[in-house]
mmCIF file of all heavy atoms in Angstrom:
data_model
loop_
_atom_site.group_PDB
_atom_site.id
_atom_site.type_symbol
_atom_site.label_atom_id
_atom_site.label_comp_id
_atom_site.label_asym_id
_atom_site.label_seq_id
_atom_site.Cartn_x
_atom_site.Cartn_y
_atom_site.Cartn_z
ATOM 1 N N ASP A 33 -7.263 -14.555 -54.540
ATOM 2 C CA ASP A 33 -6.998 -13.339 -53.749
ATOM 3 C C ASP A 33 -5.650 -12.788 -54.184
ATOM 4 O O ASP A 33 -4.597 -13.375 -53.901
ATOM 5 C CB ASP A 33 -6.972 -13.683 -52.250
ATOM 6 C CG ASP A 33 -6.983 -12.459 -51.360
ATOM 7 O OD1 ASP A 33 -6.383 -11.418 -51.764
ATOM 8 O OD2 ASP A 33 -7.565 -12.510 -50.274
ATOM 9 N N SER A 42 -8.272 -11.133 -41.480
ATOM 10 C CA SER A 42 -8.090 -12.478 -40.928
ATOM 11 C C SER A 42 -6.641 -12.815 -40.602
ATOM 12 O O SER A 42 -6.351 -13.867 -40.041
ATOM 13 C CB SER A 42 -8.629 -13.516 -41.929
ATOM 14 O OG SER A 42 -9.977 -13.246 -42.219
ATOM 15 N N ALA A 48 -10.559 -14.154 -30.278
ATOM 16 C CA ALA A 48 -11.549 -14.492 -29.249
ATOM 17 C C ALA A 48 -12.776 -15.068 -29.942
ATOM 18 O O ALA A 48 -13.329 -14.448 -30.815
ATOM 19 C CB ALA A 48 -11.937 -13.256 -28.469
ATOM 20 N N PHE A 303 -17.326 -8.275 -39.208
ATOM 21 C CA PHE A 303 -17.054 -7.207 -38.264
ATOM 22 C C PHE A 303 -16.175 -7.692 -37.114
ATOM 23 O O PHE A 303 -15.070 -8.136 -37.352
ATOM 24 C CB PHE A 303 -18.393 -6.614 -37.768
ATOM 25 C CG PHE A 303 -18.262 -5.300 -37.060
ATOM 26 C CD1 PHE A 303 -17.260 -4.392 -37.406
ATOM 27 C CD2 PHE A 303 -19.094 -4.936 -36.029
ATOM 28 C CE1 PHE A 303 -17.114 -3.164 -36.754
ATOM 29 C CE2 PHE A 303 -18.969 -3.737 -35.350
ATOM 30 C CZ PHE A 303 -17.974 -2.842 -35.728
ATOM 31 N N PHE A 307 -14.399 -14.602 -36.892
ATOM 32 C CA PHE A 307 -13.915 -15.964 -36.630
ATOM 33 C C PHE A 307 -14.955 -16.770 -35.883
ATOM 34 O O PHE A 307 -15.111 -17.971 -36.116
ATOM 35 C CB PHE A 307 -12.579 -15.920 -35.874
ATOM 36 C CG PHE A 307 -11.425 -15.673 -36.790
ATOM 37 C CD1 PHE A 307 -11.073 -14.383 -37.159
ATOM 38 C CD2 PHE A 307 -10.726 -16.733 -37.360
ATOM 39 C CE1 PHE A 307 -10.041 -14.151 -38.054
ATOM 40 C CE2 PHE A 307 -9.705 -16.515 -38.261
ATOM 41 C CZ PHE A 307 -9.350 -15.222 -38.600
HETATM 42 C C1 LIG B 401 -7.817 -5.842 -34.484
HETATM 43 C C2 LIG B 401 -8.867 -6.887 -34.823
HETATM 44 C C3 LIG B 401 -9.214 -7.780 -33.845
HETATM 45 C C4 LIG B 401 -10.209 -8.749 -34.128
HETATM 46 N N1 LIG B 401 -10.524 -9.675 -33.172
HETATM 47 C C5 LIG B 401 -11.414 -10.619 -33.453
HETATM 48 C C6 LIG B 401 -11.709 -11.616 -32.486
HETATM 49 O O1 LIG B 401 -11.141 -11.588 -31.389
HETATM 50 N N2 LIG B 401 -12.629 -12.567 -32.789
HETATM 51 C C7 LIG B 401 -13.264 -12.592 -34.016
HETATM 52 O O2 LIG B 401 -14.082 -13.494 -34.218
HETATM 53 N N3 LIG B 401 -13.012 -11.651 -34.935
HETATM 54 C C8 LIG B 401 -12.106 -10.677 -34.685
HETATM 55 N N4 LIG B 401 -11.850 -9.714 -35.598
HETATM 56 C C9 LIG B 401 -12.670 -9.677 -36.818
HETATM 57 C C10 LIG B 401 -12.236 -10.665 -37.879
HETATM 58 O O3 LIG B 401 -10.829 -10.576 -38.025
HETATM 59 C C11 LIG B 401 -12.971 -10.346 -39.173
HETATM 60 O O4 LIG B 401 -14.367 -10.327 -38.975
HETATM 61 C C12 LIG B 401 -12.658 -11.393 -40.236
HETATM 62 O O5 LIG B 401 -11.281 -11.611 -40.359
HETATM 63 C C13 LIG B 401 -13.235 -10.971 -41.594
HETATM 64 O O6 LIG B 401 -12.931 -11.974 -42.493
HETATM 65 P P1 LIG B 401 -13.208 -11.785 -44.053
HETATM 66 O O7 LIG B 401 -12.777 -13.028 -44.702
HETATM 67 O O8 LIG B 401 -14.589 -11.319 -44.254
HETATM 68 O O9 LIG B 401 -12.291 -10.537 -44.470
HETATM 69 P P2 LIG B 401 -10.706 -10.456 -44.716
HETATM 70 O O10 LIG B 401 -9.962 -11.317 -43.800
HETATM 71 O O11 LIG B 401 -10.365 -9.011 -44.731
HETATM 72 O O12 LIG B 401 -10.515 -11.088 -46.143
HETATM 73 C C14 LIG B 401 -10.909 -10.417 -47.322
HETATM 74 C C15 LIG B 401 -9.912 -10.780 -48.412
HETATM 75 O O13 LIG B 401 -10.415 -10.311 -49.646
HETATM 76 C C16 LIG B 401 -9.303 -9.921 -50.449
HETATM 77 N N5 LIG B 401 -9.786 -9.079 -51.520
HETATM 78 C C17 LIG B 401 -10.142 -7.770 -51.481
HETATM 79 N N6 LIG B 401 -10.540 -7.369 -52.701
HETATM 80 C C18 LIG B 401 -10.472 -8.451 -53.519
HETATM 81 C C19 LIG B 401 -10.806 -8.679 -54.889
HETATM 82 N N7 LIG B 401 -11.301 -7.722 -55.661
HETATM 83 N N8 LIG B 401 -10.624 -9.933 -55.388
HETATM 84 C C20 LIG B 401 -10.163 -10.938 -54.607
HETATM 85 N N9 LIG B 401 -9.834 -10.778 -53.305
HETATM 86 C C21 LIG B 401 -10.002 -9.539 -52.756
HETATM 87 C C22 LIG B 401 -8.349 -9.269 -49.457
HETATM 88 O O14 LIG B 401 -7.022 -9.311 -49.941
HETATM 89 C C23 LIG B 401 -8.558 -10.112 -48.210
HETATM 90 O O15 LIG B 401 -7.547 -11.130 -48.109
HETATM 91 C C24 LIG B 401 -10.865 -8.757 -35.389
HETATM 92 C C25 LIG B 401 -10.472 -7.856 -36.378
HETATM 93 C C26 LIG B 401 -9.482 -6.917 -36.095
HETATM 94 C C27 LIG B 401 -9.075 -5.948 -37.184
#
Side-chain angles (χ1 to χ4, degrees):
D33 191 326
S42 304
F303 194 33
F307 279 85

